[in-house]
Amino acid sequence: ANSPGLRSIKSARSSSFHPSVLRSISSRPCNLMGRKTAPTREFRVGADKSIVESLANSLSKSRNALQQQFNLLMTGEVDDDTIDELEEQLLMADVGISTTTVLLDPIRDLVAGGETNAETLRDVLRQNMRDILDNVHVPLKPKEENIWVLLVVGVNGAGKTTTIAKMANRLKNDGRKVMLAAADTFRAAAVDQLGVWADRIGVEMTTPRNDNCKPSTVVYDAIEAAKKGGHDTVIIDTAGRLQNKEGLMDELNKIYKAVQKSIPDGPHETLLVLDGTVGQNSVIQAKEFNEFAPLTGVVVTKLDGSSKGGAIFSIAQDLKLPVRLIGVGEKMEDLRDFDPEAFIEALA
């Protein structure tokens, strides 16, 4: 049938809105009491000791790749050989050539001028790292007026669907009412995979009307359903890969238009999910997506299993894109706000 039905355990029979399929395991409507008076949450953490220690454990592979050379900078005198060794370690951590140059050139200049104090040079290096990340750091802040629309893009295998689920769970726990839009209609299992997560965390999801449904139609239906259902957040899953860039660009353009039919200033965030284990390849992916999608930030996943966490510096330096969130484990709470100071302290 071309006309979808509603699958919501409590509200299906009473709903008058037909062009969407909603999925929910909750037998009660979301409790919105107190949501509008709750303090606005920014996805942000402070660089306190417990957070730094926890993050350091999660980033152990990247940390271990750099720690030996940082320790060299903390003891004895620093010379050109020390800096060359540090350069090698930064490149092995996938910081990238251009960003490594930005980080180390000021230190080379100081050493050439006679500065050899390890602690002074270490502080300069850390400040250079801080400057790169702080220059583009923008906390992810939910929109309070109207519906907050987040478009999530990324290649298959980067952890996009899991990231969407973790974001939805977090926002739900913050008192927001979340609608997921299963707009990845090109991968057979994508809708079902997102549906499993929607059921698990207890949020609603709009699915395609039929097998031939366009992603842009799913998005439009999701936003209209969100309006009817009193949702304040819509998170859109998209195809991870199409046959060519032109096809992907065309599909994203249609999705943008579908959003703007209902929410003229949306989508408010376009987040690219990157696999932290692929290092500089993630920077290449970001460059390609940024060519045809107005990215507002990136989410870097799988950093707990990566020795290539330095790619975050390249993303910030070369692309001027803020890292909004990082994934450091499988648990729901392992999707964390990206805090530059905590990241540098944990890494270095």
Side-chain angles (χ1 to χ4, degrees):
N2 290 332
S3 238
L6 288 174
R7 285 193 292 162
S8 179
I9 290 177
K10 180 149 185 164
S11 59
R13 286 192 296 269
S14 61
S15 175
S16 60
F17 182 70
H18 68 86
S20 65
V21 180
L22 301 181
R23 183 189 302 216
S24 173
I25 61 169
S26 175
S27 61
R28 298 171 298 175
C30 291
N31 182 6
L32 303 182
M33 295 299 292
R35 175 171 54 80
K36 294 189 181 296
T37 58
T40 299
R41 172 171 180 163
E42 294 185 359
F43 282 66
R44 188 179 176 88
V45 295
D48 60 59
K49 184 177 180 181
S50 63
I51 290 172
V52 171
E53 289 178 351
S54 175
L55 195 54
N57 290 333
S58 298
L59 296 172
S60 59
K61 289 189 177 181
S62 292
R63 177 181 173 86
N64 291 340
L66 294 174
Q67 195 64 58
Q68 182 180 357
Q69 297 306 317
F70 277 116
N71 287 340
L72 286 175
L73 283 177
M74 293 179 64
T75 57
E77 293 187 351
V78 176
D79 57 21
D80 288 337
D81 289 340
T82 308
I83 299 175
D84 287 343
E85 291 174 9
L86 178 57
E87 179 181 54
E88 182 179 345
Q89 293 301 318
L90 288 171
L91 292 174
M92 288 177 63
D94 263 29
V95 171
I97 295 174
S98 62
T99 306
T100 296
T101 300
V102 170
L103 289 171
L104 294 184
D105 274 0
I107 294 177
R108 292 189 189 278
D109 292 341
L110 288 171
V111 171
E115 179 62 70
T116 61
N117 181 272
E119 191 62 33
T120 298
L121 295 173
R122 181 176 182 272
D123 287 344
V124 171
L125 178 58
R126 289 168 63 91
Q127 185 58 52
N128 292 345
M129 289 180 163
R130 192 175 294 115
D131 289 344
I132 287 175
L133 298 181
D134 282 348
N135 283 342
V136 297
H137 181 57
V138 181
L140 192 61
K141 184 177 180 180
K143 183 180 177 66
E144 291 301 311
E145 304 82 17
N146 208 335
I147 297 174
W148 190 39
V149 181
L150 298 92
L151 180 65
V152 184
V153 300
V155 301
N156 294 334
K160 178 165 54 72
T161 303
T162 305
T163 296
I164 289 171
K166 290 177 178 178
M167 289 176 61
N169 184 69
R170 183 171 180 172
L171 288 163
K172 179 192 173 188
N173 290 340
D174 282 348
R176 298 185 71 87
K177 190 174 181 182
V178 180
M179 171 72 73
L180 301 183
D184 182 357
T185 62
F186 292 89
R187 186 165 62 91
V191 174
D192 289 339
Q193 184 183 1
L194 191 63
V196 169
W197 278 113
D199 289 349
R200 187 177 300 176
I201 62 180
V203 299
E204 291 177 315
M205 183 179 100
T206 305
T207 61
R209 300 179 184 183
N210 51 52
D211 291 342
N212 298 316
C213 189
K214 302 286 188 181
S216 55
T217 302
V218 178
V219 170
Y220 178 78
D221 288 350
I223 293 176
E224 291 303 304
K227 287 182 175 180
K228 292 282 186 177
H231 298 74
D232 53 22
T233 304
V234 174
I235 305 177
I236 303 167
D237 187 19
T238 59
R241 184 177 289 118
L242 295 182
Q243 290 182 341
N244 53 59
K245 292 181 184 179
E246 289 75 19
L248 181 55
M249 179 170 61
D250 182 59
E251 199 55 61
L252 287 175
N253 283 336
K254 290 178 180 177
I255 287 174
Y256 275 95
K257 290 178 181 178
V259 171
Q260 290 165 2
K261 282 182 181 179
S262 299
I263 311 290
D265 63 340
H268 307 102
E269 299 285 349
T270 301
L271 301 176
L272 172 63
V273 178
L274 295 171
D275 182 344
T277 66
V278 300
Q280 283 296 302
N281 284 337
S282 67
V283 180
I284 295 171
Q285 289 174 21
K287 287 180 179 177
E288 291 179 346
F289 270 95
N290 206 33
E291 288 177 2
F292 50 79
L295 300 178
T296 60
V298 300
V299 180
V300 183
T301 65
K302 308 180 187 180
L303 284 175
D304 54 313
S306 175
S307 61
K308 302 178 182 294
I312 282 180
F313 293 101
S314 285
I315 293 168
Q317 172 66 25
D318 296 342
L319 303 181
K320 309 303 179 188
L321 285 172
V323 177
R324 299 300 192 91
L325 303 166
I326 56 175
V328 293
E330 296 296 325
K331 299 177 181 177
M332 281 289 173
E333 60 269 24
D334 288 333
L335 181 68
R336 303 186 182 183
D337 314 302
F338 181 69
D339 184 280
E341 186 65 28
F343 182 77
I344 291 169
E345 288 188 30
L347 192 64

